[in-house]
Amino acid sequence: MSMSEFEDHLLEEKKELFCLPNMEGIFPDDFSVDEVEFACELDSLFALEQEELPPLFVQTLIESNDSRFETVEHGFELKTQAQVFRRLHLTQDLVRPHPILVSRSLFGHLPVTSRPLLAVCTSCVLFLMVTIFATAPAFASGLTYLLAGAHSGVLLVDKAPFIASHAHHVTPKQIKPVTNSTPQQISMAEAQQRLHFPLSVPAYVPTRYNQTNFYLYDGDNSWADGSIMVVEYTYALPGLAPKHITICEFKPDQTVYLVVKNEAAKRIMVNNQENSAIFVEGHWTQSGDSSPTWVYNDRSEIVYETNGVVFWIVGDPSDGIDTTELTAVANSLHVLSTQGPDHIGGHIDSVTQTDQDTPHLFANDVIYLSNPDNSNGPAFKVVGTQPDQPQARTGLFNNQIPYSS
């Protein structure tokens, strides 16, 4: 019987053939109205008592045991997937391993030779964590470092730091009495013996500059290991203020950062791009009781470190001593030979020994000392000052940051 025949049969039937939804005892109590209507409709289409059966009803009952109509077994999907991947020559794990089993399998079968590597990796992670905790205060306080070497560089700040003029107690060894003695002349060999590092000199300075002198300073033992050597070259014309290129060499006793105005320093490369250095444009200056300000146009400087020796190379930008010229001077630095004329000015017979700790050119420069052995922590210091002497820039010191001397 086709569907069109069923529809014609429905039209010929009378309305009383359809059962009513509220007939009691015929349908279960939980049948909804829609379910009752659907059952009545099926009954009107196929009268089982008159052997009017749906199409293929008998075949469906007979073939119920056919394997095609059986419920698939557990894992059928994975088996089919495996057959497809095998036919396509692909590889895939049928079962995803449990993470715990993976970790046990991995660490349980590590060869003995890889355990030292695991220890090294663990040490690196611990070192990284310690470094993060150690540098977090500096980042939180807004401090930015540019490193010129293992023990030198610059500290970038937005404004000049405040330094106390009378703070830490200083031992008698740290305070050098002020004398008016005349500087003495000593031989280069004797000066080299007092230095804790080999003296270096440049093979290049602008041709208009002439070597003036070598100056030996006792050194400030709070940040310099031994004496400080200053090499000076001068360009002088009658009636004009002389211009200088000054090279200050010292071995740091701890990490020494030159405190610089933010955005006044940049990293450069020296020695044929093999070493990093810092170029600084300007310096701090103060007028009267006003706050210190940064001046850009009357001083240029390179902070450079090699073989544990720090070089502060200073020039005058008004005479064209800029990044290029100072870099050329730094690139030409080499250890002075005492055997012959190994210097621009020829053979050096004597060195001027002063009774001061630090050069006057760098007096009142602010440095930042970072010594892990210092229980008081890092501290700012003004070059060339002592706690028992009046400070040259009063506005820079007002008892807020410990003064180290």
Side-chain angles (χ1 to χ4, degrees):
M1 180 181 293
S2 65
M3 291 301 298
S4 59
E5 294 176 338
F6 296 152
E7 294 173 358
D8 294 341
H9 180 71
L10 273 177
L11 294 176
E12 295 174 355
E13 291 289 341
K14 296 180 181 180
K15 293 182 179 181
E16 55 268 16
L17 294 178
F18 287 91
C19 55
L20 298 177
N22 58 357
M23 295 179 64
E24 298 180 359
I26 299 179
F27 302 106
D29 295 336
D30 59 347
F31 261 41
S32 64
V33 176
D34 293 335
E35 290 174 334
V36 172
E37 290 183 354
F38 180 70
C40 292
E41 183 178 356
L42 288 179
D43 183 68
S44 64
L45 292 175
F46 307 103
L48 296 181
E49 64 277 4
Q50 298 179 10
E51 297 185 357
E52 293 183 6
L53 303 177
L56 303 179
F57 178 77
V58 177
Q59 291 87 338
T60 302
L61 295 178
I62 295 176
E63 296 179 357
S64 60
N65 295 327
D66 195 324
S67 60
R68 294 178 300 170
F69 305 117
E70 293 179 356
T71 304
V72 296
E73 62 181 347
H74 178 70
F76 176 79
E77 180 183 356
L78 294 179
K79 291 181 179 180
T80 305
Q81 182 179 359
Q83 293 177 358
V84 172
F85 273 81
R86 189 181 304 112
R87 181 175 301 178
L88 298 177
H89 303 287
L90 300 176
T91 58
Q92 184 184 25
D93 295 333
L94 297 181
V95 180
R96 180 174 299 176
H98 195 276
I100 297 179
L101 298 179
V102 173
S103 61
R104 291 179 179 176
S105 175
L106 176 62
F107 294 101
H109 296 82
L110 280 177
V112 178
T113 55
S114 65
R115 291 182 179 178
L117 179 61
L118 182 61
V120 172
C121 294
T122 304
S123 301
C124 292
V125 172
L126 292 177
F127 175 76
L128 179 61
M129 295 178 64
V130 171
T131 304
I132 292 174
F133 284 112
T135 58
F139 285 102
S141 58
L143 301 180
T144 303
Y145 298 93
L146 291 179
L147 301 181
H151 304 91
S152 65
V154 300
L155 172 64
L156 302 178
V157 296
D158 291 329
K159 58 182 180 180
F162 296 97
I163 302 178
S165 58
H166 303 283
H168 296 299
H169 173 71
V170 183
T171 62
K173 180 181 178 181
Q174 292 176 305
I175 301 177
K176 184 177 180 63
V178 179
T179 63
N180 295 320
S181 61
T182 303
Q184 299 179 353
Q185 298 295 320
I186 62 175
S187 66
M188 175 58 71
E190 185 179 357
Q192 183 65 75
Q193 290 178 356
R194 298 186 182 184
L195 295 174
H196 294 179
F197 56 90
L199 174 63
S200 296
V201 293
Y204 165 83
V205 292
T207 55
R208 61 186 180 276
Y209 283 81
N210 298 313
Q211 187 266 320
T212 304
N213 207 340
F214 285 73
Y215 299 92
L216 183 67
Y217 295 85
D218 289 344
D220 186 339
N221 59 14
S222 67
W223 53 274
D225 181 9
S227 300
I228 298 174
M229 179 66 79
V230 170
V231 185
E232 189 172 77
Y233 301 85
T234 304
Y235 170 53
L237 292 176
L240 298 177
K243 308 293 184 180
H244 302 281
I245 294 178
T246 304
I247 304 175
C248 177
E249 307 176 25
F250 66 94
K251 185 177 181 181
D253 185 57
Q254 54 183 297
T255 304
V256 180
Y257 299 100
L258 190 65
V259 180
V260 175
K261 171 71 174 177
N262 195 15
E263 299 182 354
K266 64 180 181 180
R267 190 182 305 276
I268 62 174
M269 301 302 295
V270 296
N271 288 343
N272 298 321
Q273 307 297 319
E274 294 182 359
N275 297 98
S276 176
I278 308 299
F279 175 76
V280 179
E281 182 182 4
H283 64 98
W284 297 107
T285 187
Q286 183 179 12
S287 178
D289 294 334
S290 61
S291 299
T293 57
W294 186 264
V295 178
Y296 286 90
N297 56 5
D298 62 352
R299 178 170 163 178
S300 56
E301 181 175 359
I302 280 183
V303 179
Y304 169 53
E305 180 181 351
T306 180
N307 298 325
V309 182
V310 177
F311 297 86
W312 291 345
I313 309 174
V314 178
D316 191 340
S318 65
D319 191 44
I321 308 303
D322 54 8
T323 311
T324 303
E325 290 290 357
L326 291 181
T327 302
V329 174
N331 288 337
S332 68
L333 287 172
H334 62 282
V335 176
L336 176 66
S337 174
T338 58
Q339 304 299 325
D342 190 29
H343 185 250
I344 296 174
H347 185 71
I348 303 169
D349 296 324
S350 62
V351 174
T352 301
Q353 181 184 12
T354 72
D355 60 349
Q356 300 300 313
D357 289 337
T358 55
H360 294 289
L361 175 64
F362 301 95
N364 295 329
D365 279 0
V366 183
I367 58 176
Y368 179 74
L369 306 178
S370 178
N371 185 359
D373 298 328
N374 185 5
S375 59
N376 295 320
F380 289 95
K381 178 179 176 62
V382 178
V383 176
T385 58
Q386 296 179 354
D388 59 342
Q389 297 176 352
Q391 305 296 341
R393 294 186 289 184
T394 57
L396 206 61
F397 322 111
N398 58 359
N399 300 323
Q400 292 195 20
I401 293 181
Y403 173 74
S404 173
S405 177

